[in-house]
Amino acid sequence: MFVITADQIDSRHDRDRAGEMIARLAADFGPAFLLPPDQTSGDEIQALLTDAATALDVVFALHRSGHWSIGLGIGPVRVPLPTPPGRPPARHSSPRGPP
């Protein structure tokens, strides 16, 4: 599994770009996501994919926009995906997820 976490750069001095980016990612890569990309923790986006090439394409799309710090987690994910309150499933496998 590939977990992508993207945090908007300098979000305190810019508008919230997460909704626009989620819409773009869904339009460009929609069927590839195990779960739809989600906005978490304010201006943060998380996504879960199973295909390495598509995960890399998503990372490049985020990078090329110039507005995101991007993390990529690689490895197994518990299934069924846990969904504790306030945390989407991808958060558990992300490098910045809970310890």
Side-chain angles (χ1 to χ4, degrees):
M1 295 284 185
F2 301 88
V3 179
I4 297 169
T5 303
D7 188 49
Q8 186 176 330
I9 297 169
D10 200 25
S11 61
R12 293 182 184 187
H13 300 102
D14 196 2
R15 62 185 168 77
D16 185 346
R17 297 176 180 273
E20 293 171 17
M21 182 53 74
I22 288 171
R24 180 175 162 204
L25 295 175
D28 292 349
F29 306 103
F33 292 109
L34 188 59
L35 294 171
D38 193 19
Q39 183 172 354
T40 61
S41 302
D43 60 359
E44 183 178 280
I45 296 172
Q46 293 185 359
L48 181 63
L49 300 109
T50 58
D51 179 68
T54 306
L56 188 58
D57 288 342
V58 170
V59 168
F60 285 150
L62 287 159
H63 174 72
R64 287 183 187 120
S65 77
H67 299 288
W68 302 95
S69 295
I70 307 153
L72 175 63
I74 303 170
V77 174
R78 288 182 299 181
V79 178
L81 297 171
T83 56
R87 290 205 175 103
R91 183 79 175 178
H92 291 279
S93 297
S94 168
R96 292 175 31 205

